[in-house]
Amino acid sequence: MNRAALLCTLLLASGGCSRRVGCPTPDGVTVRFTRCGAVADAHGRPVGRVSVRQGETEQSVRMDRLSPSRVLLSFGWTPKARYRFFVKLKDGAGRERDAAAPISPGPEVIASVALENIVSVSAASMGGAADTEVRFSPDGKTLAIGSYLGYLRLVDVLSGAILYEKKISEGLVKQLAFSRDGKTLFIGEQSPDAFVYAMDVETKKTKWRFRLADDLETCARKEDDRFGIYKLPGVYRMCIAEDGDVIVAGVHSWSKEIAGKTVSLNRSRLYRLDPTTGKPKWRFPKPQVLPASIVWFDADDSGKHVVLAIEKSSTERVESPWTPDSIYFVDGDAGKAIGRFTPEPLLPHFKRVLLWRSAGLSRDGRHASLGCLDGRAFFFDFPETSGDVKPIWAKDLGTPIVVSGVPLSAPVSYSYVWGDTVYFVVTGTVIPQGSRSASQKVPSPHPNTNSIFAFDLAGDLKWKWHTEGAAQAMSATPGGRYVLITTADNWLTQATDTFGFALFDTHRAGGGLEKLIYEFRTAGPVFPESDISSDGRFIAVAETPKELPDKTIAGAYRVHIVQ
């Protein structure tokens, strides 16, 4: 069944427009079912209270106010069951609504938060979505947003009201992370200084800041370089350990004149910072920084186990004990490497191994994953002793196949270990760099392009999903019950209406289609990284405006909070 037919089936099964979509009724009260309950909307008339019955049984309902006339009702409902909603308005009037619960709910936008105007920056020239970091507080009540133009905002999740707004960076706000108790917000920027800040959430005062550029070097941004912001040093990832420590990856990739020649350089380092003082407990490696890039790292909940993928893109000739194009296993207490795995190049198609944001680690630190841009995927046990590490199992997910005489591959760009499931995200189709056909146009997609593969820990396939849009990064709730993947436009199929995300409930039986809750679409591109509140109630995704061929603008720079 195609997606259009599936949507029609869901609409019919839910009783049509008035019950699923919530078309206005003659007296102006709408009820729409959501993942976690329903939304009652009185369209401008303030709502007093709402009760819900199934038959003669009154439901236990939590009511949260989204606006004076719109309320979020949290309760568990049964598909196809009928419910009666009693809506008491503040002017004394009462309304009743009878509605059948759908088979599966649709997305409900709780709020959309407008950010600064970046049309002048030209979203089209940036080649997609602007870097925008979103992060829910541990209690799910506040959303922190870091923007492309360097603004930090704190937002009330239910109303979308901006509680705090300040431009804090000369560059962009690259990373955000709340402390486990929600009282401190850690902020990482990409700027000439590459500061890490700790901000008191209540007072909004800066507790401390730590400058990564002291290690990674700094440089000036060239205003005529549309990618100039990404040549500044930056905080590329942060993880918060159970003891509160902040594990930070600092990366700097840029070019400069050396002895009359332009040389491209890489500098990166991993830090474990004390959350109270901001002082490093350790730096990895030491004494020198890496002359390569940490493309991604992951840490377990305890902070005792860390994996990081490194890659070298510089032309600098420098001696280093660290092997690029590798995954390193690091003791998170001591900040020392205890193991390494370096995949062999997949000849003849690839002369070297390339990595992206594809190093994953389980929350208990026992298992790790790695994806390669040549289409291979690996799974490991975290080593207990020092030495080279060998994978427990490996999969050829996007490795080269020949179509019409042209070799095609699909990169494994992201990987994760959540609960008892290992996820690999296979993205677009490419012609391998070592092929004589590398300058040709891709004739057709690789069969596994734009797919999620979900394996159990033994390497058996649990489920799979093929995205209509270009597959991007995934997010999950603790334990991995709810997972989502963001999607972009699909240049292979010329589909431009595939921006957004797909949400799955992994506790549902069956394959990807059965686990799919809904797909949410935006007018403009979405940034790959999203967030889900820890209780699974809310999702945050950032949209960027897109310039269309006729020079009109689709979408806006904003963050959607969705249930």
Side-chain angles (χ1 to χ4, degrees), residues 323-355:
T323 306
D325 309 332
S326 301
I327 180 173
Y328 278 88
F329 298 79
V330 176
D331 180 334
D333 286 331
K336 295 181 179 180
I338 58 174
R340 184 199 74 190
F341 173 68
T342 304
E344 292 293 329
L346 195 60
L347 300 173
H349 300 291
F350 293 91
K351 297 178 181 178
R352 59 173 291 196
V353 176
L354 297 175
L355 307 173

mmCIF file of all heavy atoms in Angstrom, residues 323-355:
data_model
loop_
_atom_site.group_PDB
_atom_site.id
_atom_site.type_symbol
_atom_site.label_atom_id
_atom_site.label_comp_id
_atom_site.label_asym_id
_atom_site.label_seq_id
_atom_site.Cartn_x
_atom_site.Cartn_y
_atom_site.Cartn_z
ATOM 1 N N THR A 323 45.691 7.055 14.401
ATOM 2 C CA THR A 323 45.366 6.588 13.056
ATOM 3 C C THR A 323 44.036 7.179 12.611
ATOM 4 O O THR A 323 43.002 6.932 13.243
ATOM 5 C CB THR A 323 45.273 5.047 13.021
ATOM 6 O OG1 THR A 323 46.475 4.500 13.544
ATOM 7 C CG2 THR A 323 45.042 4.558 11.603
ATOM 8 N N PRO A 324 44.038 7.962 11.535
ATOM 9 C CA PRO A 324 42.755 8.502 11.051
ATOM 10 C C PRO A 324 41.879 7.408 10.452
ATOM 11 O O PRO A 324 42.317 6.268 10.263
ATOM 12 C CB PRO A 324 43.178 9.524 9.997
ATOM 13 C CG PRO A 324 44.514 9.050 9.527
ATOM 14 C CD PRO A 324 45.170 8.393 10.705
ATOM 15 N N ASP A 325 40.630 7.779 10.159
ATOM 16 C CA ASP A 325 39.652 6.850 9.573
ATOM 17 C C ASP A 325 39.464 5.640 10.485
ATOM 18 O O ASP A 325 39.406 4.487 10.042
ATOM 19 C CB ASP A 325 40.084 6.407 8.178
ATOM 20 C CG ASP A 325 40.432 7.586 7.275
ATOM 21 O OD1 ASP A 325 39.875 8.681 7.495
ATOM 22 O OD2 ASP A 325 41.268 7.423 6.368
ATOM 23 N N SER A 326 39.379 5.901 11.798
ATOM 24 C CA SER A 326 39.291 4.842 12.805
ATOM 25 C C SER A 326 38.258 5.209 13.861
ATOM 26 O O SER A 326 37.887 6.376 14.018
ATOM 27 C CB SER A 326 40.647 4.640 13.500
ATOM 28 O OG SER A 326 41.660 4.298 12.584
ATOM 29 N N ILE A 327 37.821 4.190 14.600
ATOM 30 C CA ILE A 327 37.032 4.405 15.802
ATOM 31 C C ILE A 327 37.907 4.024 16.988
ATOM 32 O O ILE A 327 38.543 2.965 17.000
ATOM 33 C CB ILE A 327 35.715 3.594 15.784
ATOM 34 C CG1 ILE A 327 34.907 3.855 17.070
ATOM 35 C CG2 ILE A 327 35.952 2.123 15.569
ATOM 36 C CD1 ILE A 327 33.517 3.219 17.055
ATOM 37 N N TYR A 328 37.963 4.928 17.983
ATOM 38 C CA TYR A 328 38.740 4.682 19.203
ATOM 39 C C TYR A 328 37.795 4.444 20.377
ATOM 40 O O TYR A 328 36.749 5.088 20.482
ATOM 41 C CB TYR A 328 39.660 5.866 19.508
ATOM 42 C CG TYR A 328 40.955 5.833 18.725
ATOM 43 C CD1 TYR A 328 41.036 6.404 17.458
ATOM 44 C CD2 TYR A 328 42.089 5.224 19.249
ATOM 45 C CE1 TYR A 328 42.222 6.369 16.728
ATOM 46 C CE2 TYR A 328 43.278 5.183 18.536
ATOM 47 C CZ TYR A 328 43.339 5.755 17.278
ATOM 48 O OH TYR A 328 44.520 5.702 16.555
ATOM 49 N N PHE A 329 38.199 3.516 21.244
ATOM 50 C CA PHE A 329 37.465 3.206 22.461
ATOM 51 C C PHE A 329 38.255 3.808 23.618
ATOM 52 O O PHE A 329 39.441 3.492 23.797
ATOM 53 C CB PHE A 329 37.321 1.696 22.615
ATOM 54 C CG PHE A 329 36.548 1.046 21.490
ATOM 55 C CD1 PHE A 329 37.157 0.781 20.273
ATOM 56 C CD2 PHE A 329 35.205 0.720 21.649
ATOM 57 C CE1 PHE A 329 36.443 0.194 19.225
ATOM 58 C CE2 PHE A 329 34.489 0.131 20.619
ATOM 59 C CZ PHE A 329 35.100 -0.129 19.404
ATOM 60 N N VAL A 330 37.598 4.692 24.400
ATOM 61 C CA VAL A 330 38.302 5.505 25.381
ATOM 62 C C VAL A 330 37.742 5.244 26.777
ATOM 63 O O VAL A 330 36.523 5.157 26.971
ATOM 64 C CB VAL A 330 38.179 7.008 25.027
ATOM 65 C CG1 VAL A 330 38.819 7.883 26.096
ATOM 66 C CG2 VAL A 330 38.816 7.282 23.661
ATOM 67 N N ASP A 331 38.649 5.121 27.748
ATOM 68 C CA ASP A 331 38.282 5.043 29.158
ATOM 69 C C ASP A 331 37.833 6.434 29.591
ATOM 70 O O ASP A 331 38.639 7.364 29.656
ATOM 71 C CB ASP A 331 39.493 4.584 29.965
ATOM 72 C CG ASP A 331 39.223 4.479 31.463
ATOM 73 O OD1 ASP A 331 38.322 5.179 31.968
ATOM 74 O OD2 ASP A 331 39.924 3.696 32.128
ATOM 75 N N GLY A 332 36.551 6.578 29.900
ATOM 76 C CA GLY A 332 36.005 7.886 30.214
ATOM 77 C C GLY A 332 36.443 8.434 31.559
ATOM 78 O O GLY A 332 36.347 9.637 31.804
ATOM 79 N N ASP A 333 36.919 7.574 32.463
ATOM 80 C CA ASP A 333 37.426 8.045 33.750
ATOM 81 C C ASP A 333 38.824 8.638 33.614
ATOM 82 O O ASP A 333 39.124 9.685 34.187
ATOM 83 C CB ASP A 333 37.451 6.897 34.767
ATOM 84 C CG ASP A 333 36.054 6.530 35.259
ATOM 85 O OD1 ASP A 333 35.183 7.425 35.285
ATOM 86 O OD2 ASP A 333 35.850 5.359 35.607
ATOM 87 N N ALA A 334 39.663 7.961 32.845
ATOM 88 C CA ALA A 334 41.068 8.372 32.736
ATOM 89 C C ALA A 334 41.364 9.218 31.508
ATOM 90 O O ALA A 334 42.402 9.880 31.456
ATOM 91 C CB ALA A 334 41.960 7.122 32.736
ATOM 92 N N GLY A 335 40.480 9.179 30.506
ATOM 93 C CA GLY A 335 40.750 9.913 29.278
ATOM 94 C C GLY A 335 41.855 9.286 28.459
ATOM 95 O O GLY A 335 42.642 9.981 27.814
ATOM 96 N N LYS A 336 41.926 7.941 28.458
ATOM 97 C CA LYS A 336 42.965 7.236 27.717
ATOM 98 C C LYS A 336 42.344 6.204 26.781
ATOM 99 O O LYS A 336 41.359 5.550 27.123
ATOM 100 C CB LYS A 336 43.925 6.537 28.686
ATOM 101 C CG LYS A 336 44.722 7.501 29.556
ATOM 102 C CD LYS A 336 45.673 6.747 30.464
ATOM 103 C CE LYS A 336 46.482 7.708 31.329
ATOM 104 N NZ LYS A 336 47.417 6.988 32.239
ATOM 105 N N ALA A 337 42.946 6.057 25.596
ATOM 106 C CA ALA A 337 42.460 5.080 24.623
ATOM 107 C C ALA A 337 42.793 3.669 25.100
ATOM 108 O O ALA A 337 43.899 3.409 25.571
ATOM 109 C CB ALA A 337 43.077 5.337 23.263
ATOM 110 N N ILE A 338 41.816 2.764 24.969
ATOM 111 C CA ILE A 338 42.067 1.370 25.333
ATOM 112 C C ILE A 338 41.855 0.425 24.149
ATOM 113 O O ILE A 338 42.096 -0.781 24.280
ATOM 114 C CB ILE A 338 41.173 0.921 26.511
ATOM 115 C CG1 ILE A 338 39.690 1.091 26.160
ATOM 116 C CG2 ILE A 338 41.523 1.683 27.766
ATOM 117 C CD1 ILE A 338 38.769 0.536 27.238
ATOM 118 N N GLY A 339 41.413 0.969 23.020
ATOM 119 C CA GLY A 339 41.218 0.111 21.859
ATOM 120 C C GLY A 339 40.966 0.916 20.606
ATOM 121 O O GLY A 339 40.626 2.103 20.663
ATOM 122 N N ARG A 340 41.155 0.258 19.462
ATOM 123 C CA ARG A 340 40.975 0.929 18.174
ATOM 124 C C ARG A 340 40.545 -0.083 17.132
ATOM 125 O O ARG A 340 40.949 -1.253 17.171
ATOM 126 C CB ARG A 340 42.300 1.570 17.737
ATOM 127 C CG ARG A 340 42.213 2.387 16.453
ATOM 128 C CD ARG A 340 43.591 2.582 15.841
ATOM 129 N NE ARG A 340 44.074 1.338 15.225
ATOM 130 C CZ ARG A 340 45.315 1.157 14.777
ATOM 131 N NH1 ARG A 340 46.238 2.092 14.945
ATOM 132 N NH2 ARG A 340 45.658 0.019 14.206
ATOM 133 N N PHE A 341 39.716 0.379 16.203
ATOM 134 C CA PHE A 341 39.385 -0.419 15.030
ATOM 135 C C PHE A 341 39.529 0.470 13.800
ATOM 136 O O PHE A 341 38.942 1.558 13.739
ATOM 137 C CB PHE A 341 37.963 -0.969 15.100
ATOM 138 C CG PHE A 341 37.518 -1.658 13.834
ATOM 139 C CD1 PHE A 341 38.093 -2.859 13.438
ATOM 140 C CD2 PHE A 341 36.543 -1.095 13.029
ATOM 141 C CE1 PHE A 341 37.697 -3.496 12.260
ATOM 142 C CE2 PHE A 341 36.129 -1.712 11.856
ATOM 143 C CZ PHE A 341 36.709 -2.922 11.470
ATOM 144 N N THR A 342 40.324 0.009 12.840
ATOM 145 C CA THR A 342 40.533 0.738 11.583
ATOM 146 C C THR A 342 40.087 -0.156 10.439
ATOM 147 O O THR A 342 40.765 -1.146 10.121
ATOM 148 C CB THR A 342 42.008 1.118 11.405
ATOM 149 O OG1 THR A 342 42.446 1.873 12.536
ATOM 150 C CG2 THR A 342 42.188 1.954 10.135
ATOM 151 N N PRO A 343 38.956 0.132 9.810
ATOM 152 C CA PRO A 343 38.519 -0.705 8.689
ATOM 153 C C PRO A 343 39.496 -0.602 7.514
ATOM 154 O O PRO A 343 40.085 0.455 7.272
ATOM 155 C CB PRO A 343 37.155 -0.110 8.311
ATOM 156 C CG PRO A 343 36.763 0.754 9.466
ATOM 157 C CD PRO A 343 38.022 1.231 10.089
ATOM 158 N N GLU A 344 39.664 -1.699 6.825
ATOM 159 C CA GLU A 344 40.474 -1.679 5.605
ATOM 160 C C GLU A 344 39.683 -1.003 4.478
ATOM 161 O O GLU A 344 38.459 -1.157 4.403
ATOM 162 C CB GLU A 344 40.840 -3.107 5.190
ATOM 163 C CG GLU A 344 41.802 -3.806 6.140
ATOM 164 C CD GLU A 344 43.176 -3.169 6.150
ATOM 165 O OE1 GLU A 344 43.592 -2.625 5.106
ATOM 166 O OE2 GLU A 344 43.828 -3.194 7.215
ATOM 167 N N PRO A 345 40.364 -0.260 3.605
ATOM 168 C CA PRO A 345 39.648 0.355 2.477
ATOM 169 C C PRO A 345 38.959 -0.699 1.616
ATOM 170 O O PRO A 345 39.469 -1.809 1.437
ATOM 171 C CB PRO A 345 40.758 1.066 1.702
ATOM 172 C CG PRO A 345 41.837 1.303 2.709
ATOM 173 C CD PRO A 345 41.783 0.119 3.644
ATOM 174 N N LEU A 346 37.797 -0.331 1.113
ATOM 175 C CA LEU A 346 37.011 -1.259 0.295
ATOM 176 C C LEU A 346 37.440 -1.099 -1.167
ATOM 177 O O LEU A 346 36.789 -0.440 -1.979
ATOM 178 C CB LEU A 346 35.519 -0.960 0.471
ATOM 179 C CG LEU A 346 34.532 -2.017 -0.008
ATOM 180 C CD1 LEU A 346 34.738 -3.338 0.713
ATOM 181 C CD2 LEU A 346 33.098 -1.519 0.204
ATOM 182 N N LEU A 347 38.583 -1.707 -1.496
ATOM 183 C CA LEU A 347 39.138 -1.631 -2.846
ATOM 184 C C LEU A 347 38.340 -2.521 -3.799
ATOM 185 O O LEU A 347 37.759 -3.520 -3.375
ATOM 186 C CB LEU A 347 40.603 -2.066 -2.824
ATOM 187 C CG LEU A 347 41.536 -1.218 -1.931
ATOM 188 C CD1 LEU A 347 42.919 -1.869 -1.860
ATOM 189 C CD2 LEU A 347 41.626 0.211 -2.452
ATOM 190 N N PRO A 348 38.260 -2.194 -5.090
ATOM 191 C CA PRO A 348 38.924 -1.075 -5.771
ATOM 192 C C PRO A 348 38.110 0.215 -5.770
ATOM 193 O O PRO A 348 38.571 1.228 -6.289
ATOM 194 C CB PRO A 348 39.084 -1.613 -7.188
ATOM 195 C CG PRO A 348 37.840 -2.437 -7.389
ATOM 196 C CD PRO A 348 37.566 -3.078 -6.050
ATOM 197 N N HIS A 349 36.929 0.176 -5.198
ATOM 198 C CA HIS A 349 36.033 1.327 -5.327
ATOM 199 C C HIS A 349 36.423 2.491 -4.421
ATOM 200 O O HIS A 349 36.224 3.654 -4.767
ATOM 201 C CB HIS A 349 34.596 0.902 -5.021
ATOM 202 C CG HIS A 349 34.076 -0.172 -5.923
ATOM 203 N ND1 HIS A 349 33.816 0.042 -7.259
ATOM 204 C CD2 HIS A 349 33.776 -1.482 -5.699
ATOM 205 C CE1 HIS A 349 33.373 -1.077 -7.806
ATOM 206 N NE2 HIS A 349 33.335 -2.012 -6.886
ATOM 207 N N PHE A 350 36.966 2.175 -3.241
ATOM 208 C CA PHE A 350 37.316 3.226 -2.285
ATOM 209 C C PHE A 350 38.776 3.073 -1.874
ATOM 210 O O PHE A 350 39.184 1.992 -1.419
ATOM 211 C CB PHE A 350 36.421 3.148 -1.039
ATOM 212 C CG PHE A 350 34.983 3.479 -1.307
ATOM 213 C CD1 PHE A 350 34.082 2.475 -1.651
ATOM 214 C CD2 PHE A 350 34.516 4.787 -1.217
ATOM 215 C CE1 PHE A 350 32.749 2.774 -1.893
ATOM 216 C CE2 PHE A 350 33.187 5.089 -1.454
ATOM 217 C CZ PHE A 350 32.301 4.087 -1.800
ATOM 218 N N LYS A 351 39.544 4.136 -2.011
ATOM 219 C CA LYS A 351 40.957 4.098 -1.663
ATOM 220 C C LYS A 351 41.192 4.339 -0.175
ATOM 221 O O LYS A 351 42.276 4.053 0.335
ATOM 222 C CB LYS A 351 41.719 5.138 -2.479
ATOM 223 C CG LYS A 351 41.670 4.878 -3.984
ATOM 224 C CD LYS A 351 42.402 5.958 -4.760
ATOM 225 C CE LYS A 351 42.329 5.690 -6.260
ATOM 226 N NZ LYS A 351 42.995 6.775 -7.043
ATOM 227 N N ARG A 352 40.192 4.893 0.508
ATOM 228 C CA ARG A 352 40.301 5.118 1.945
ATOM 229 C C ARG A 352 38.922 4.978 2.569
ATOM 230 O O ARG A 352 37.897 4.928 1.865
ATOM 231 C CB ARG A 352 40.887 6.495 2.266
ATOM 232 C CG ARG A 352 40.092 7.649 1.710
ATOM 233 C CD ARG A 352 40.610 8.984 2.205
ATOM 234 N NE ARG A 352 40.357 9.168 3.633
ATOM 235 C CZ ARG A 352 40.425 10.351 4.237
ATOM 236 N NH1 ARG A 352 40.780 11.438 3.560
ATOM 237 N NH2 ARG A 352 40.166 10.457 5.510
ATOM 238 N N VAL A 353 38.900 4.910 3.881
ATOM 239 C CA VAL A 353 37.640 4.789 4.609
ATOM 240 C C VAL A 353 37.220 6.185 5.080
ATOM 241 O O VAL A 353 38.006 6.900 5.697
ATOM 242 C CB VAL A 353 37.796 3.860 5.827
ATOM 243 C CG1 VAL A 353 36.506 3.805 6.637
ATOM 244 C CG2 VAL A 353 38.206 2.466 5.368
ATOM 245 N N LEU A 354 35.982 6.552 4.786
ATOM 246 C CA LEU A 354 35.453 7.836 5.220
ATOM 247 C C LEU A 354 34.350 7.597 6.245
ATOM 248 O O LEU A 354 33.553 6.663 6.119
ATOM 249 C CB LEU A 354 34.903 8.622 4.023
ATOM 250 C CG LEU A 354 35.924 9.006 2.948
ATOM 251 C CD1 LEU A 354 35.209 9.671 1.772
ATOM 252 C CD2 LEU A 354 37.004 9.922 3.503
ATOM 253 N N LEU A 355 34.306 8.460 7.246
ATOM 254 C CA LEU A 355 33.340 8.331 8.330
ATOM 255 C C LEU A 355 32.565 9.624 8.492
ATOM 256 O O LEU A 355 33.046 10.704 8.157
ATOM 257 C CB LEU A 355 34.055 8.002 9.652
ATOM 258 C CG LEU A 355 34.996 6.798 9.635
ATOM 259 C CD1 LEU A 355 35.741 6.708 10.956
ATOM 260 C CD2 LEU A 355 34.221 5.513 9.368
#
